[in-house]
Structures are given as C-alpha cells and as structure tokens.
Amino acid sequence: MKTNIIAEIREFLNENGWKCNAPARQAAYKKFGAQPEHKLTWSDWAMILDYACLVGGARPGDEYGYIDARGEVATAKVYDLYNIPKGLKNPFLVCFSGFMTAHLYTFEALRWHYKVTGELLRIFCTGKEGNKGLYKKVVERLKGLMIGSEAEAYLRCLSLLGDEKFMRQYERAVADTDTHGNFDEMYAMAKSLGLNEATFLLVSGNPTYDKRLLAEGMLQLRDKKYADVKINLCIVHCPPRYDFAVPEGHLTEILLGYYAASLGPLAKDTTPLSLTLLPREGAERYALPGLEDVDWSIFRSLISDYSNMGWPNYQELLYGVPHEEAVLNIILSDLRARSCFTPESYDEALLQDIRTYQKFLGGAYIQGENFEEYLDMSPYVPYFRR
C-alpha cells in the first residue's frame, strides 16, 4: 500500500470524525477501493492461530454455572462435535456467526448424531448482516448462494447438502445485526413454537469464538425477558481446519479478522462470572476463568493490523494504541480484506467446499429421496478428524 494512500485515508478520516462503523467503511471503500493484502505465510502464523484457538475456543466437557432469567443456577455446556448427548430437551443445532463453514460443521454434527443415536436434530439458522458492511456487495444480490442474509446463505448451503424442507422447517425472518440479536432470535423462535424449554447447540464454524459466545450469552440470558423459556445454552466446539476454499477457511485477512473479532472482546467490558454477585452495570460479557492468564502480546499484530470486523477500542485497551491510529488500522484492514473475495468467488468457493464434502459422503443428496437413509449410508468416519 502506497504511503500517499495512507495519507489520503488519514485526511478522509479526519474529515469524517474518525469513524469506522459500517457506513464509514463503505464510504472509505467507495473512495479508495480495495487495497492489496498482506503477504501471509503459514510459518509466521501457525503458532498464533494455535494459541488463538486455545484462548478463544472452549474444550468439550467444560461447564460454566451462571444465574439465568429465572434466577436459577443454570449450566452452559461445551460438547464435542462428535459427542452430542441424546435426549436433550428440544434441541436445535443453531448455525450462525457469518463464518461460511458453519453449515458444514452443522451438517456434520447432524449426520454423526443421527448415525450414532438415531435422533435427528432440528436446524435453526440466524444472522442478518454482520461484519460491519464488509459483505454488502455479496449479500445484496438477487442470485447466488451467499445472498440476502447470513441465515439465508446457510439455509441455501444446507439445502444443497440435505432435504430442503427439513432444513427450512424452522426458517424465520431474522432482524438481528449482532451477537446479542442472535440470542433474541433463538428465544423468539422457541417462543413462537410454544416451547417452555429449549436447548441451543451453537455451531459457529469458528474455533476461536466459543468463549466469546459463552461470555456474552450467559450474561444476556440473565435478562428477565427470557424467563418464560428455560434456555439450555450449549456450545458445539468446531475443530480448526485450514483447507477450505472460502476465505475464512484458509490463511487470509478474512480469517485473521474473524479471529481478532473473537478474541478482542474477551478483555473488554467484563464482569466476574459469579453465582452470588450481581453483574457490573453496563458490562457486556462475563470474564471467564483462565482469561486472566492470557499473553495478549502474542495477538498484537492480529488485533491491531487485521481487525476488519472489530472495533478500535480493543487495540486501545490491550496495547495502548492511540484512538486515531486504531481507527486507521481498522479502515486499512477493511480495505485489504475486500481484496480476498468477490461475490462470484465466494459462491464458487462455497460450492467447492460443499462438493468436496459431498464426495466424502459418497455423493450428493437428491431432493425427494429418503433423507434419513442418506445419512445412514454416509461413511462412519468423522469428516473433521481425518
């Protein structure tokens, strides 16, 4: 990136009041266009990515006690993708988060659970836009896979993998634009079905997102507005894979942006996780055990230089970066990330990953055929443990 471009971007930001929300990012993109990506090499990032998964991901078997909307002690649980218990109360695999491998992990969880238990888990997809406008040119189309909303993109991909009627059984118009809104959508769906208890098995596809979801979800579900539905909060941990075709499925600025957005919030606006103390007013998430020991210096470049989906205050809080410099870093990261994809390339990559997975399954599902029989005939081999 040329120095004079950076100077021009600084001038642009000074004129707009150093904003980096979705409209500001769109305006910067319109004025300056996508900028060249960093040259990324696996040797430089392997250790950082591993540590990111350790810090942001949760281990299957982990449990966190918290006070729910009923004032009762509830337990948030973490499950292995290949060891979801049978007999959960009104379970839903919730496919969301914008990570465009989430549908593959969701289908694999569905497939394996059915093969092992004979129980067919229900599917719910949520997510409206997200990513601070980064995917605006992708989703605002009339044709394609990744269009309209994240939920619609997931439903289209899942409908290529399995029975479309089954996949869309719990489809609803989504209005959420953030993590908080995703939980509102889950609750609203359960409420609309007349359920007084539901188990949400969150499948994000992002191996660094577990702790953020738990930290924010447990605090949000304390709100009394959810009291009429007993919500059992669960994470389905998605093991990392870096051989996908989609930009977040291999080493790109998009992948690093997702990881930065998953990790940065863990250190901000927290309140102690306690069964006896009231949360701090204004807190956005719980501080989970173990996070006080994180070596945040390892993530300095990740969070400062690749936060194309995050906010500048993570840089300010963790590394003392001046506000204006942090905003500039966000805008530069956004403009570089836009070089990682086009609407057409995203669709092509999604189809490539789906076809690779279908080949593993032994062939594509044909609409109208027996879906359960198709699952039964799939290989007794875990796709994400090969």
Side-chain angles (χ1 to χ4, degrees), residues 200-271:
F200 295 136
L201 300 154
L202 309 186
V203 188
S204 71
N206 181 346
T208 69
Y209 198 32
D210 299 344
K211 288 197 179 82
R212 180 181 170 185
L213 286 175
L214 287 167
E216 296 179 6
M218 289 188 294
L219 183 57
Q220 182 176 340
L221 293 176
R222 189 183 181 104
D223 194 315
K224 293 188 184 302
K225 73 179 183 180
Y226 304 110
D228 53 349
V229 178
K230 178 176 172 56
I231 295 175
N232 303 312
L233 177 61
C234 306
I235 295 286
V236 178
H237 178 66
C238 300
R241 281 278 291 270
Y242 301 107
D243 58 350
F244 294 106
V246 289
E248 55 269 55
H250 58 279
L251 185 57
T252 63
E253 302 229 2
I254 293 289
L255 173 72
L256 297 180
Y258 270 109
Y259 279 20
S262 301
L263 298 173
L266 294 176
K268 177 181 175 290
D269 293 334
T270 62
T271 189

Side-chain angles (χ1 to χ4, degrees), residues 139-333:
V139 299
E140 292 187 352
R141 297 180 295 156
L142 296 177
K143 295 182 179 180
L145 278 179
M146 193 175 167
I147 68 168
S149 68
E150 290 171 11
E152 178 60 24
Y154 289 138
L155 286 168
R156 291 187 176 212
C157 291
L158 285 165
S159 296
L160 291 177
L161 292 167
D163 183 78
E164 182 171 14
K165 184 177 180 181
F166 173 82
M167 297 301 174
R168 291 186 177 272
Q169 185 175 359
Y170 300 100
E171 178 182 8
R172 54 181 283 121
V174 294
D176 61 280
T177 58
D178 55 18
T179 305
H180 193 285
N182 284 316
F183 285 100
D184 283 343
E185 293 291 350
M186 296 175 214
Y187 163 78
M189 183 271 299
K191 182 74 173 171
S192 71
L193 295 174
L195 303 178
N196 57 21
E197 184 174 356
T199 302
F200 295 136
L201 300 154
L202 309 186
V203 188
S204 71
N206 181 346
T208 69
Y209 198 32
D210 299 344
K211 288 197 179 82
R212 180 181 170 185
L213 286 175
L214 287 167
E216 296 179 6
M218 289 188 294
L219 183 57
Q220 182 176 340
L221 293 176
R222 189 183 181 104
D223 194 315
K224 293 188 184 302
K225 73 179 183 180
Y226 304 110
D228 53 349
V229 178
K230 178 176 172 56
I231 295 175
N232 303 312
L233 177 61
C234 306
I235 295 286
V236 178
H237 178 66
C238 300
R241 281 278 291 270
Y242 301 107
D243 58 350
F244 294 106
V246 289
E248 55 269 55
H250 58 279
L251 185 57
T252 63
E253 302 229 2
I254 293 289
L255 173 72
L256 297 180
Y258 270 109
Y259 279 20
S262 301
L263 298 173
L266 294 176
K268 177 181 175 290
D269 293 334
T270 62
T271 189
L273 177 60
S274 173
L275 298 179
T276 57
L277 300 175
L278 290 174
R280 178 179 60 81
E281 187 175 350
E284 295 184 8
R285 57 192 61 85
Y286 284 122
L288 299 187
L291 290 177
E292 65 275 6
D293 299 324
V294 172
D295 183 356
W296 289 101
S297 67
I298 292 175
F299 299 129
R300 176 156 191 151
S301 178
L302 176 71
I303 291 173
S304 295
D305 300 329
Y306 296 90
S307 285
N308 44 64
M309 302 171 196
W311 291 102
N313 46 21
Y314 308 143
Q315 302 172 52
E316 298 165 26
L317 174 68
L318 290 168
Y319 308 114
V321 177
H323 177 70
E324 293 181 0
E325 196 68 26
V327 171
L328 175 64
N329 289 340
I330 293 285
I331 295 297
L332 292 174
S333 180

Side-chain angles (χ1 to χ4, degrees), residues 32-47:
F32 300 105
Q35 296 298 311
E37 303 171 62
H38 284 125
K39 183 178 180 181
L40 303 174
T41 59
W42 184 255
S43 59
D44 291 335
W45 286 97
M47 184 274 288

